[in-house]
Each structure stands twice: as structure tokens, then as C-alpha cells.
Amino acid sequence: PVAVMLVFFYMAIAFISIWASGINTTMGILTFAFAIVMAAILVSARSALIVAAYSSAALFMVQLFIQLGWHYPDSSWAKFPSDYWDALSNTAVYSYIALVCWLYNRQMERSTKQAMAAEAKLMQQKMTLKTQVEKRTAQLRQLQLEEMQRMYKFAELGKLGVVLLHDLANHLTSLNLEIEEMKSKSKTKEKREFR
């Protein structure tokens, strides 16, 4: 919007210049060329071709009005009157400028599209990788939880084993004490009988 208005502004200045002083005025010719380059830079590659076509049409239109006698610009500065060859040569220059701008900007636009496509592909791969990492992390957490549950079972089994061993040791100790007591009684009884 603003860029288009700026291009139209310079095209209007160029048209006013060639209308007032003829199609060979340097300011008009250069301002049209400037408008073509600005259109290519600020708007798009295709707009350079469009502005070049309008600039050439403006040159031919002003020259036609001059040839038909409908318009008399102030060409007191010019050594020779303008003719259609001047309009044609300026059109060739504008076409060349527009073509160079179009080719350059088209290549830039392609490169930009390729870069954007590559960035989109990278973002997609990033999202895929993120999903895979989240899935693998969930699997690892599940495996960790299962391993912790097994370790907990082993720990519980170890506690149960300790409790059983403690109870067994208590029973064995009491049996051992009873056996010792029985041995002691038996020895005492033998000693009494022996006496």
C-alpha cells in the first residue's frame, strides 16, 4: 500500500516532467527508471515489469500527442525534436531495467520460498523429534517405575526374610537353651544317681 503509493508518486513526477518538457527530458527518463527499480524492490518482481510497461506507454502517448499536434511541451532545451525512436529506445532501456530487476527479485523470491520451506520442514522435524523424545521419555519412566517396583518387591522379600530368620533364630535360641537346660538337668540327675 505505502510502497505502491510511493511508486505511483514517482511515476506521476516522471509523467509530469515528460509532459512539460518532452519525452527526452533527463529528469523524466531517470525518474521512470527509478520508479521501475523501486517497484521491484518495494513491491514485487512482477510490478517492475508492469511499471516499465506503463512508463513506456506514457512515453508513446506523450509522443503521439506531440506528433498529432494536440500537445506542445517546452522543448526549447532540446537540440532535436523527439520522435517515436526516442520513445522506442527509452522503452528498450526500461525493458532491460525491468527484466534485470525481475530476474533478480524472482531469484530472491525463490530463495526466500526455499528458505521458508526448509524452515517449515525443520519445524516439522523438530515437532516429530519432540514427540519421539516425549514418547521415549514416557517409555523410560515406565521402565524405571517397573524396575523400582521390582526393587521394592525384592526389598520387601528381604525384610520378610530377615523377620523369618530372626524368628527362626529366636526359636533356635530357645530350643538351644532348653536343650542346654535338659543336658544340665540330666547331668545333675546322673551326678545324684552316681553318688
Side-chain angles (χ1 to χ4, degrees):
V2 174
V4 173
M5 288 173 45
L6 188 63
V7 170
F8 279 127
F9 173 74
Y10 280 106
M11 286 183 66
I13 290 173
F15 183 77
I16 290 168
S17 177
I18 64 167
W19 184 261
S21 302
I23 66 168
N24 286 335
T25 179
T26 307
M27 181 181 167
I29 293 169
L30 291 177
T31 307
F32 272 133
F34 183 67
I36 293 168
V37 173
M38 280 185 47
I41 292 170
L42 299 177
V43 182
S44 70
R46 186 178 295 155
S47 66
L49 299 172
I50 294 169
V51 171
Y54 280 124
S55 300
S56 299
L59 288 175
F60 278 104
M61 184 190 76
V62 169
Q63 185 58 39
L64 177 67
F65 282 17
I66 293 170
Q67 292 292 111
L68 294 175
W70 295 350
H71 177 64
Y72 299 99
D74 177 21
S75 57
S76 59
W77 57 273
K79 292 182 183 179
F80 304 103
S82 62
D83 59 11
Y84 287 111
W85 286 108
D86 295 328
L88 187 63
S89 65
N90 288 336
T91 297
V93 171
Y94 293 157
S95 299
Y96 177 73
I97 292 170
L99 183 64
V100 168
C101 290
W102 179 73
L103 289 172
Y104 177 76
N105 282 350
R106 190 183 77 173
Q107 185 63 33
M108 292 298 290
E109 288 172 358
R110 280 185 183 169
S111 297
T112 303
K113 285 180 183 177
Q114 287 174 348
M116 290 174 69
E119 183 179 356
K121 198 171 187 179
L122 282 174
M123 289 300 291
Q124 183 181 14
Q125 287 178 348
K126 180 182 174 184
M127 293 304 293
T128 303
L129 185 60
K130 182 180 178 183
T131 304
Q132 288 175 348
V133 166
E134 288 173 355
K135 184 179 177 182
R136 185 66 182 146
T137 302
Q139 288 174 344
L140 287 174
R141 285 185 181 153
Q142 182 63 33
L143 289 172
Q144 224 175 12
L145 180 64
E146 290 171 4
E147 185 66 26
M148 286 177 65
Q149 287 173 346
R150 274 193 293 254
M151 295 301 282
Y152 180 74
K153 287 178 184 177
F154 282 131
E156 288 296 316
L157 187 61
K159 284 181 186 177
L160 182 63
V162 167
V163 168
L164 286 175
L165 280 175
H166 183 69
D167 285 348
L168 184 62
N170 284 343
H171 289 302
L172 286 175
T173 303
S174 68
L175 278 175
N176 198 15
L177 288 174
E178 284 180 22
I179 291 173
E180 286 293 323
E181 188 178 325
M182 287 174 75
K183 280 183 183 180
S184 163
K185 282 183 183 179
S186 150
K187 281 184 184 182
T188 314
K189 192 177 182 188
E190 277 181 16
K191 280 184 183 181
R192 282 189 197 159
E193 288 178 7
F194 184 68
R195 284 191 212 186

